[in-house]
Amino acid sequence: MIGVRNRFRDSSTAQLLTEAECWLWDLTELDVDLEAAPESWAYPDQTRAFALAAIEDLNAELARRDGLRSRSTAPQWPSSWIDRRPDAAAIKQSVDLITYIERTCGVVFERRGREVICLCPLPGHDERTPSFSVHPEKQVWYCHGCHRGGDLFTFAMHVMGTDHFADVLQALTDEVVGDRDLALEGVSLG
Ligand SMILES: [Zn+2]
């Protein structure tokens, strides 16, 4: 089948797996709802049939790609069901600001009340007394010396030296997904 005629052409294999997983959850929740209240779905049979047809389509495409995996030009198969599309909210939840700053800049924080402080690690600010503070609960930072502040993404933009939010989001996504794959599989997706 040539790409343009395949409606799954623009979806990564990870996305297809995720989509199939979502349909399976829909089916599962449908059954749970019906057990609790038989009238909770107006057309349960049609809904179930629609979900099963969608899963069948996805499985057919996955089987087709599976058959091509050994070809030298075939892209790498995802090692787990992870959606690799950048999601800013999910990244913010899974990346702790303090841990990120410590790891990328090698600074040491000390606690001051509700905040933690350290020597400002930002480019262009070389200081002797700590004026860079992070609020762990709010996951925000501010430097009382160079008067810059923000969240995880603004910090990463300063450190990576870019004004492009999308670049930073993609870099952090790759990092988070890479870490999780390492933890789950013991191998890197590369
Ligand atoms: Zn500063």
Side-chain angles (χ1 to χ4, degrees), residues 119-127 131-132 141-148:
L119 289 172
C120 179
L122 293 175
H125 188 195
D126 187 16
E127 63 174 3
S131 49
F132 184 93
W141 61 274
Y142 185 75
C143 176
H144 299 275
C146 62
H147 303 291
R148 287 178 280 186

Side-chain angles (χ1 to χ4, degrees), residues 49-70:
F50 190 79
L52 289 170
I55 292 168
E56 199 175 312
D57 277 0
L58 287 161
N59 280 340
E61 173 65 7
L62 286 164
R64 191 185 70 82
R65 292 186 187 187
D66 194 31
L68 298 171
R69 279 170 76 178
S70 59

